[in-house]
Amino acid sequence: MKRTLALLALTGALASPTAVVSHPHVWVTGGAHVGLDEEGRLARIHVTWIYDTFASLYLLNYLKADQDGDQVLSERDKELILADQTNWPEDFQGDSYLYVSGEKRALGRAENPDTRILESGQVEVTFERAVIEPYRPGSGEPDAIIKIYDPYFYYAYEVTEAPEIITKSDDHGCSVQHSKPNPEDDEGLAALQVELSALGREETPTQQDVGAFFADEIRLTCG
């Protein structure tokens, strides 16, 4: 699963044996889109991960994928990457979360995964996750908030794709908004960022779920 790239944080990410390793170690762009069912309920989350150039090279080399370097993945290459990225152990929560009133809602495991190499050489991985109990915000019910983050902040996720509503009919009176945390406007968050940047190679954050503090938010509201 995705912990292949965690090796990068502890080994080849920084060649010098004396180099300082700070959090985060791997940068991932992409985001999430919301899938509504016929009743206008949030039923699926469509996730995209696009790894930074160095992490992409590391992943391809480690898995011995795209060995001819043509940036076109064979079916075998795709199987290798997707087995690594979406066959999750039971304790891995998929670095994607649904919150309602500050509480996490259960999501299914990765479904319908796909992968490719972009023109930039970056590896893109996409998959869907079912919302175990489909939910519709609005009409007195709180908004649904999707966050993409690594609890330990080894991976820094940034939403770079404008979130969209995916539905078979209309948008059911729903809309999505994207917001980013800003440490410059939050002294506590800025201090935490400095603390994390000072962590050494084998150190991990002591604060539980620390990645959530730096996570972009995708908010679903419905009329």
Side-chain angles (χ1 to χ4, degrees), residues 5-19:
L5 285 170
L7 295 173
L8 183 145
L10 300 175
T11 58
L14 301 159
S16 170
T18 60

Side-chain angles (χ1 to χ4, degrees), residues 59-135:
L59 179 63
L60 293 171
N61 289 334
Y62 185 89
L63 296 176
K64 295 181 172 57
D66 189 38
Q67 290 191 291
D68 58 9
D70 66 356
Q71 297 190 356
V72 177
L73 296 175
S74 67
E75 289 305 311
R76 173 188 172 278
D77 292 336
K78 288 186 177 183
E79 289 175 2
L80 288 171
I81 294 171
L82 293 177
D84 181 81
Q85 293 289 294
T86 61
N87 289 345
W88 302 336
E90 291 299 323
D91 61 349
F92 181 61
Q93 298 184 57
D95 284 359
S96 43
Y97 303 88
L98 171 62
Y99 287 87
V100 177
S101 295
E103 298 293 329
K104 290 180 182 177
R105 294 290 182 96
L107 299 175
R109 298 173 67 80
E111 300 177 9
N112 303 318
D114 199 5
T115 184
R116 61 175 178 156
I117 302 177
L118 305 179
E119 290 184 4
S120 61
Q122 295 172 269
V123 174
E124 176 189 81
V125 176
T126 60
F127 55 89
E128 302 172 20
R129 301 187 71 185
V131 178
I132 300 303
E133 296 183 2
Y135 173 76

Side-chain angles (χ1 to χ4, degrees), residues 27-34 45-50 95-97 145-149 156-164 176-181 214-219:
W27 285 262
V28 188
T29 56
H33 305 291
V34 298
I45 297 174
H46 302 254
V47 179
T48 300
W49 293 337
I50 302 173
D95 284 359
S96 43
Y97 303 88
I145 297 174
I146 298 167
K147 292 185 178 184
I148 309 294
Y149 67 90
Y157 289 90
E158 180 184 5
V159 174
T160 54
E161 297 180 350
E164 298 179 356
V176 287
Q177 298 83 36
H178 167 220
S179 62
K180 295 177 176 289
F214 299 95
D216 291 21
E217 287 190 2
I218 296 171
R219 181 181 295 267

Side-chain angles (χ1 to χ4, degrees), residues 5-14 21 25 154 200-204:
L5 285 170
L7 295 173
L8 183 145
L10 300 175
T11 58
L14 301 159
V21 181
H25 307 290
Y154 283 110
R201 173 173 303 190
E202 297 180 359
E203 294 179 291
T204 57

Side-chain angles (χ1 to χ4, degrees), residues 195-218:
E195 179 182 336
L196 292 173
S197 69
L199 289 178
R201 173 173 303 190
E202 297 180 359
E203 294 179 291
T204 57
T206 57
Q207 186 159 352
Q208 186 176 8
D209 219 27
V210 67
F213 292 97
F214 299 95
D216 291 21
E217 287 190 2
I218 296 171

